[in-house]
Amino acid sequence: PGKNVFITGNPGIGKTVATKHVLKELEETSDEVFPIYVNGWRKNTPYKILLEICEIINYKFTQNKKVEDLFEAILPILNKKAIVLCLDEADKIKEIDILYSFLEDVYNKSIILITNEKSWLDKLDTRIKSRLTPEILEFKPYNLQETEGIIKQRIEYAFIPNVFNNEALKKIANKTFELKDLRTGMYLLKESGDAAESRESRKIELADVEKALEKLNKFKIKDKDDLNSEQSSLLNLIEKNPNKSTTELHELFNLNISYKSFRRKLDDLSKAKL
């Protein structure tokens, strides 16, 4: 505690997994620290964040309390120890001013902020930034060799030895590296395994990976000429607002569609390298 960290980088490169691992290790090795993890996508308001913290620290008297009352109630508990507060998907949180209260009133703390939006830190209120002064940790995309190594490690966890054809493994590693997202690799491993199982094979061959890739590529945009009017409008909006967060783009685009649906539309453009 005492050091604040801003973690950023491309999606799917292990920021959350790495942070959770550190928090778990901290919980197992020290009774002097409250390790607190909150996902800002699921808990995106100060009230929801405080309710999550209350559950973590086992504070039960939350009924009929407002944000200010809740914070005042748990503050003496938090100040009995040090805290490490991790806000994942921090850019999804509305009214991030709750950070100011933690920075000002919690005595011994470290705050970890995780987001894919590299410019999000610059948008914070000056009062918060001046108190936060975080160390910036950027998770760079894995190179091909690292990607293949991670895929091999996951295969060791999930499959019996020597089940993967080497050519099939290379195909998955190359596709995962191309898309810069390890979740793609995990998806292809599972779908390839399912394809081999469906033909009662003890080996996963290149043909099984090809079937998995077909599922991955169901939605395929080759270039801007393939876009429908909604996709074109979205791409145009992004180009005109390069520094806005995903949440801000959603508000500008169409609030009649859910945020989850909006993210899927962005993912489709991302997969098409647009």
Side-chain angles (χ1 to χ4, degrees):
K3 179 183 287 187
N4 301 318
V5 186
F6 177 66
I7 303 176
T8 186
N10 293 345
I13 55 170
K15 300 184 297 296
T16 297
V17 173
T19 305
K20 281 185 173 180
H21 179 81
V22 171
L23 292 177
K24 186 173 185 296
E25 188 172 314
L26 185 60
E27 185 176 26
E28 291 172 350
T29 56
S30 175
D31 294 326
E32 302 301 317
V33 182
F34 284 121
I36 300 170
Y37 172 88
V38 181
N39 186 301
W41 199 322
R42 297 188 182 96
K43 313 293 179 183
N44 64 348
T45 65
Y47 185 70
K48 289 178 181 178
I49 290 170
L50 290 176
L51 281 183
E52 181 76 359
I53 293 173
C54 286
E55 185 172 335
I56 291 169
I57 66 174
N58 201 31
Y59 178 79
K60 305 293 186 184
F61 307 105
T62 59
Q63 198 168 4
N64 299 324
K65 283 187 170 70
K66 296 179 181 178
V67 169
E68 294 81 5
D69 299 329
L70 265 182
F71 186 78
E72 287 298 321
I74 66 173
L75 187 58
I77 301 172
L78 296 178
N79 279 332
K80 285 181 180 178
K81 298 184 180 182
I83 75 163
V84 177
L85 171 63
C86 174
L87 298 178
D88 198 356
E89 303 279 3
D91 56 298
K92 308 301 184 297
I93 297 170
K94 300 170 185 175
E95 300 173 41
I96 197 66
D97 285 358
I98 185 69
L99 260 183
Y100 184 85
S101 299
F102 281 97
L103 290 165
E104 279 289 284
D105 299 323
V106 178
Y107 299 147
N108 198 7
K109 73 274 182 181
S110 271
I111 295 176
I112 303 171
L113 303 170
I114 306 177
T115 171
N116 298 330
E117 308 273 357
K118 295 180 183 179
S119 61
W120 180 80
L121 189 63
D122 298 328
K123 302 171 189 174
L124 285 179
D125 186 281
T126 306
R127 295 175 310 148
I128 295 176
K129 270 203 297 187
S130 64
R131 287 163 174 78
L132 190 65
T133 56
E135 178 179 325
I136 298 174
L137 179 61
E138 183 176 356
F139 277 53
K140 301 287 186 181
Y142 299 117
N143 61 36
L144 180 56
Q145 185 178 4
E146 290 169 331
T147 302
E148 187 173 332
I150 293 167
I151 297 293
K152 283 181 178 177
Q153 185 185 56
R154 294 304 177 95
I155 288 172
E156 289 173 6
Y157 291 146
F159 297 91
I160 61 173
N162 304 316
V163 72
F164 250 92
N165 173 296
N166 191 55
E167 196 177 0
L169 167 63
K170 292 282 186 185
K171 187 82 172 180
I172 290 177
N174 287 336
K175 188 64 178 179
T176 304
F177 174 69
E178 176 193 330
L179 296 179
K180 306 295 184 188
D181 191 338
L182 280 177
R183 290 170 295 194
T184 299
M186 304 307 106
Y187 173 83
L188 291 174
L189 288 178
K190 180 184 180 301
E191 292 297 327
S192 299
D194 288 346
E197 190 174 47
S198 69
R199 61 185 183 85
E200 299 181 347
S201 172
R202 291 171 179 259
K203 287 278 188 180
I204 296 173
E205 306 287 350
L206 186 59
D208 300 311
V209 177
E210 296 292 355
K211 281 191 177 181
L213 284 168
E214 284 176 19
K215 287 190 175 183
L216 183 68
N217 295 330
K218 272 183 180 177
F219 183 90
K220 183 68 176 175
I221 306 171
K222 292 180 180 177
D223 52 45
K224 290 184 180 181
D225 293 336
D226 294 330
L227 298 176
N228 60 35
S229 58
E230 185 180 57
Q231 291 159 352
S232 294
S233 297
L234 176 54
L235 188 60
N236 187 48
L237 179 71
I238 294 167
E239 289 171 344
K240 288 182 177 178
N241 299 277
N243 295 318
K244 290 199 179 295
S245 68
T246 308
T247 305
E248 291 169 326
L249 287 171
H250 175 229
E251 291 172 354
L252 288 172
F253 183 63
N254 184 357
L255 285 175
N256 292 323
I257 66 169
S258 70
Y259 185 78
K260 192 173 181 179
S261 297
F262 181 71
R263 282 298 298 239
R264 281 199 296 268
K265 294 178 187 298
L266 288 182
D267 288 343
D268 290 337
L269 294 176
S270 179
K271 287 176 184 175
K273 305 296 182 184
L274 295 177

